Amino acid sequence: MQQQLLMPSIDLYNTPLTIGEQSFMSRLMLGTGKYKTLKEAIDSINASESAIVTVAIRRAQNAKNLGKSNLIDCLNWQKIWLLPNTAGCKTAEEAIRVAILGREMAKKLGQINNNFVKLEVIPDPKYLLPDPIGTLKAAEYLVQKKFTVLPYINADPMLAKQLENIGCATVMPLASPIGSGQGLQNISNIKIIIENSNIPVIIDAGIGTASEASKAMELGASAVLLNTAVAKASSPNLMAEAMKSSVISGRIAYLAGRMTKTIQAQPSSPTDSISFI
């Protein structure tokens, strides 16, 4: 009888991602904007098996006020953790108000202990680059109010460390501008942030395809958050599947440890101490 090879479970290598007091098995987070239809969004989120889904509170509130269906009403929030975000806020004060609305929304969905907020303060309408001063100001206030703050930032190692020091649960440096699909354009700074950080580093914005998500994880990032790469793919649910697999493979490759690069070639089949009959 042929012996069956037992492959070790991926879960043996993929330890939970811990943010604040919550732990998650998936290291892929998905956004909810830009999909053509609600069904397409739901199918993609399900295909990704993301444990955390981020929702723009302003957009969700506007849809609710207009009596329109939105993802808040269509997803199973017993299985998915809501990450409210302050997208659309131009000032620290705006972001704080929207964060409070987001916490109330999470509680209405039954997530009583959900104090998460993805903090975005973006006054720049052209490049959508986050305001470091406004972000730091809002983060400091929200941390004091017992929020679990996940701030979206430029790949700035000094700002990342300041946010960690005031009590943020993660830092979320951009790979490249939001929705650009340019991939990892700030690798050197991201490496410094990861090296210096004692909290999870989540790569957010600019990822365009699965290989880029895998590369982010190979650098040692704790997780990847993306939206446009899936929503604007020709087949969003297939791209969601690809992203799920790439984040897992990138994580395992990081844990495995990359071989050292060399200038000269090294034979994979050395001839020393080999006798030929």
Side-chain angles (χ1 to χ4, degrees):
M1 184 172 70
Q2 186 177 13
Q3 184 178 5
Q4 184 177 5
L5 295 175
L6 297 177
M7 298 299 293
S9 168
I10 287 173
D11 289 345
L12 291 176
Y13 306 106
N14 191 26
T15 53
L17 167 66
T18 299
I19 301 174
E21 297 180 352
Q22 300 293 325
S23 293
F24 308 93
M25 286 311 299
S26 173
R27 291 174 180 267
L28 172 62
M29 306 178 185
L30 216 57
T32 54
K34 302 184 180 179
Y35 290 94
K36 294 186 185 73
T37 65
L38 271 177
K39 183 180 185 305
E40 195 170 74
I42 293 165
D43 289 347
S44 299
I45 290 166
N46 290 337
S48 76
E49 297 185 8
S50 295
I52 300 175
V53 168
T54 185
V55 173
I57 297 307
R58 278 189 150 182
R59 187 175 68 243
Q61 285 289 103
N62 289 339
K64 209 168 194 63
N65 292 339
L66 293 172
K68 295 181 179 178
S69 296
N70 62 76
L71 274 173
I72 291 289
D73 303 318
C74 299
L75 294 175
N76 184 351
W77 296 109
Q78 293 183 349
K79 294 183 177 180
I80 300 170
W81 191 254
L82 173 65
L83 175 55
N85 75 57
T86 64
C89 294
K90 298 179 180 180
T91 67
E93 292 74 19
E94 274 188 289
I96 288 166
R97 287 196 297 272
V98 172
I100 292 167
L101 289 174
R103 181 153 69 177
E104 291 306 311
M105 182 175 289
K107 292 184 183 343
K108 286 179 181 177
L109 293 173
Q111 298 183 5
I112 304 301
N113 298 320
N114 189 343
N115 298 305
F116 278 41
V117 60
K118 182 184 180 222
L119 177 60
E120 297 183 21
V121 181
I122 303 177
D124 167 26
K126 184 174 182 180
Y127 296 104
L128 300 178
L129 297 174
D131 172 10
I133 298 170
T135 300
L136 187 61
K137 180 181 176 182
E140 193 163 18
Y141 179 88
L142 292 168
V143 167
Q144 290 173 357
K145 295 298 180 181
K146 308 301 182 186
F147 279 84
T148 302
V149 182
L150 293 76
Y152 171 64
I153 62 171
N154 289 298
D156 180 341
M158 296 306 295
L159 176 60
K161 183 50 71 174
Q162 286 178 304
L163 288 163
E164 177 183 332
N165 289 341
I166 66 170
C168 288
T170 73
V171 287
M172 305 181 75
L174 55 83
S176 52
I178 293 173
S180 68
Q182 294 178 28
L184 294 158
Q185 297 296 313
N186 299 299
I187 289 179
S188 295
N189 279 14
I190 287 171
K191 283 181 175 179
I192 295 170
I193 292 171
I194 292 169
E195 180 184 345
N196 291 339
S197 183
N198 297 308
I199 55 177
V201 177
I202 300 168
I203 305 304
D204 182 13
I207 297 293
T209 191
S211 59
E212 295 161 2
S214 182
K215 177 65 176 176
M217 297 302 294
E218 288 176 21
L219 293 176
S222 301
V224 168
L225 190 152
L226 51 87
N227 183 185
T228 310
V230 171
K232 292 298 184 181
S234 298
S235 176
N237 64 324
L238 278 181
M239 184 59 80
E241 287 268 8
M243 290 297 186
K244 175 185 71 174
S245 299
S246 68
V247 167
I248 291 171
S249 64
R251 172 68 177 172
I252 294 173
Y254 167 72
L255 294 174
R258 194 194 191 285
M259 64 169 284
T260 302
K261 292 182 180 180
T262 62
I263 295 174
Q264 292 183 323
Q266 298 185 34
S268 56
S269 301
T271 56
D272 293 350
S273 304
I274 295 179
S275 60
F276 296 92
I277 299 176

